[in-house]
């Protein structure tokens, strides 16, 4: 045994002594493993990030925070949202000139540009960040906050103790006129290191921004990759973007490439640190909304809750890597799975984005898209763009493919008459419990259980809280183990005859975590 090996053994023993004696239980002499199953416990800390809501002076934004009551969660703790400073940096245009990345309107928005470039304003934002924008008082009851105009900040949120399990925040903005007018909504997201956004565009009538928000004490570094109908799109400054600590960066996609394409997929890959990411897609004629990230690439995907009065639905799919994907396209309607005429299958080349118009595929009924492989499975990501209304009174929104509800999911910011909840069970009949919380201004929680038949989508009649004042939260629980359920919530707000709407999906809230059994075992020092 050489000297290096002896040193390594000595170092390992010393490290074990310093870091403690917890280890997984070793099987006994009989060969029977005596270790107990992992305990499922409520999480004790959650983080959420909300993007800056709008660059319009006409914007009215409401934040709604909600934590469902979780069995076993502590009675103490807190949650709060604080403003994140918006950094001012320049991004070169495709022709080599400099353009402020924070310029959020193709029209002349002198006030927004001046504020974002003003160092004094940035310093004031950092001072303001010390004061919470929103601080919930108790689990089970939602709380709201509001902001107006173009100066609404991105928010960094942290919840601890009893406020952490299943914590959700809804950001809803109404813009009455201008580029991207309509109802824009997004569920604030947890920080992560990778995001896929199929459905973005650099077309002349679109102004799309990727908002990156860094919650941590050190800078994050991210790459933004674009993929179109012919594969990877060359970008000028998409690599090595730095997002300073506790700040947000809105990045205009058209400054990354000179190519004009209607249907693109954005891949955000974080090299170091973590960020929250969302895309704000603004259209000159069709309004605008937030596009949330698609669920992780998978062979089978579900896009739940396409509004029944949709006048146009465009499906955008991307296949990461080099493997082509062949997909069966089906609509889960109230009566079962059906195949859209002329759109039975979809071929997606590896590394390329494919889009297809499905028209008014729902035909006046609730519906969800179900994508399954026709042969060998290849991972894909997907989203749909939905249009409601006709002529010059149209509005658009996005629905990404999403993960299943799992044990529980919640969504906040629901009104008594403006909310639709869609539930779909593609592979088996499921029972689902829906609970409407007390309102932000008062009321009594109410629950109802629904049966969702295999292969169907239902827009369910919601249990509205008695004596409701303000808005309320919905919590969805899947009571049928092993049968996946997918859900989305649609908010509507008609203004001037324009049918404003926004759709948020309800993936599992990850409010609990499996904690393995561990014991002190001094025998590890003898090995």
């Amino acid at each position: 045994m050489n000297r290096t090996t002896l040193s390594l053994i000595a170092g390992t023993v010393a490290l074990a002594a310093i870091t403690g004696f917890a280890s997984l239980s070793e099987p006994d002499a009989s060969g029977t493993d005596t270790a107990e199953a992992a305990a499922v416990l409520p999480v004790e800390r959650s983080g959420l990030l909300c993007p800056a809501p709008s660059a319009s002076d006409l914007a009215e934004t409401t934040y709604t925070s909600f934590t469902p009551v979780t069995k076993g969660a502590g009675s103490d703790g807190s949650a709060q949202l604080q403003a994140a400073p918006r950094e001012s940096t320049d991004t070169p245009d495709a022709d080599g000139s400099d353009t402020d990345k924070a310029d959020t309107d193709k029209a002349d928005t002198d006030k927004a540009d001046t504020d974002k470039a003003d160092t004094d304003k940035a310093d004031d934002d950092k001072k303001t960040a010390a004061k919470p924008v929103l601080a919930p008082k108790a689990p089970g009851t939602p709380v709201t906050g509001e902001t107006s105009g173009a100066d609404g900040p991105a928010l960094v949120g942290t919840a601890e103790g009893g406020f952490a399990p299943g914590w959700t925040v809804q950001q809803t903005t109404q813009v009455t006129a201008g580029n991207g007018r309509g109802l824009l909504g997004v569920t604030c997201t947890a920080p992560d290191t990778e995001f896929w956004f199929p459905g973005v565009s650099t077309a002349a009538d679109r102004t799309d921004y990727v908002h990156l928000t860094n919650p941590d004490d050190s800078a994050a570094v991210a790459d933004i990759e674009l993929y179109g109908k012919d594969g990877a799109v060359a970008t000028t400054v998409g690599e090595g973007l730095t997002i300073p600590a506790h700040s947000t960066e809105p990045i205009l996609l058209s400054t990354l490439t000179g190519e004009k394409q209607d249907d693109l997929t954005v891949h955000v890959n974080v090299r170091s640190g973590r960020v929250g990411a969302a895309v704000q897609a603004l259209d000159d004629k069709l309004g605008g909304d937030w596009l949330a990230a698609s669920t992780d690439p998978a062979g089978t995907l579900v896009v739940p809750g396409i509004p029944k009065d949709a006048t146009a639905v465009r499906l955008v799919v991307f296949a990461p890597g080099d493997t082509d994907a062949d997909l069966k396209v089906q609509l889960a309607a109230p009566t079962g799975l059906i195949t859209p005429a002329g759109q039975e299958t979809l071929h997606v080349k590896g590394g390329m984005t494919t889009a297809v118009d499905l028209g008014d595929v729902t035909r006046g009924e609730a519906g969800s898209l179900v994508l399954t492989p026709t042969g060998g499975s290849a991972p894909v990501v997907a989203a749909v763009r939905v249009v409601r209304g006709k002529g010059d009174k149209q509005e658009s929104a996005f629905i990404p493919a999403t993960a299943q509800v799992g044990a529980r999911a919640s969504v906040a910011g629901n009104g008594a008459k403006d909310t639709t909840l869609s539930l779909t069970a593609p592979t088996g009949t499921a029972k689902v419990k829906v609970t409407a919380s007390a309102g932000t201004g008062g009321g009594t929680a109410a629950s109802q259980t629904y049966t969702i038949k295999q292969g169907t989508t239902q827009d369910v009649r919601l249990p509205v809280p008695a004596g409701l004042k303000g808005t309320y939260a919905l919590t969805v629980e899947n009571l049928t183990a092993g049968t996946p359920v997918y859900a989305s919530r649609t908010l509507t707000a008609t203004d001037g005859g324009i049918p404003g709407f926004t759709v948020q999906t309800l993936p599992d809230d990850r409010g609990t975590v499996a904690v393995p059994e561990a014991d002190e075992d001094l025998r590890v020092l003898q090995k």
Side-chain angles (χ1 to χ4, degrees), residues 347-364:
H347 179 71
V348 186
K349 293 183 179 180
M352 300 183 187
T353 297
T354 298
V356 58
D357 282 319
L358 300 178
D360 57 343
V361 65
T362 56
R363 298 188 181 278

Side-chain angles (χ1 to χ4, degrees), residues 250-286:
I251 300 163
L252 181 59
L253 289 183
S254 61
T255 64
L256 302 183
T257 179
E259 291 192 31
K260 301 295 182 182
Q261 292 198 31
D262 290 329
D263 304 291
L264 291 167
T265 297
V266 163
H267 180 215
V268 177
N269 182 48
V270 185
R271 295 189 197 179
S272 64
R274 307 173 304 159
V275 301
V279 170
Q280 189 177 50
L282 309 177
D283 192 283
D284 290 347
K285 298 179 180 179
L286 299 178

Side-chain angles (χ1 to χ4, degrees), residues 48 169 290 488:
L48 294 176
V169 176
W290 290 96
S488 70

Side-chain angles (χ1 to χ4, degrees), residues 80-125:
Q80 63 179 21
L81 291 162
Q82 294 181 321
R86 181 181 298 183
E87 295 295 322
S88 176
T89 55
D90 290 335
T91 299
D93 282 335
D95 62 2
S97 62
D98 285 344
T99 300
D100 192 339
K101 284 194 296 184
D103 181 6
T104 53
D105 201 322
K106 288 185 293 184
D108 202 8
T109 54
D110 291 339
K111 179 179 183 302
D113 290 341
T114 301
D115 285 348
K116 290 162 190 166
D118 191 341
T119 303
D120 292 338
K121 175 68 169 52
D123 290 340
D124 290 341
D125 285 343

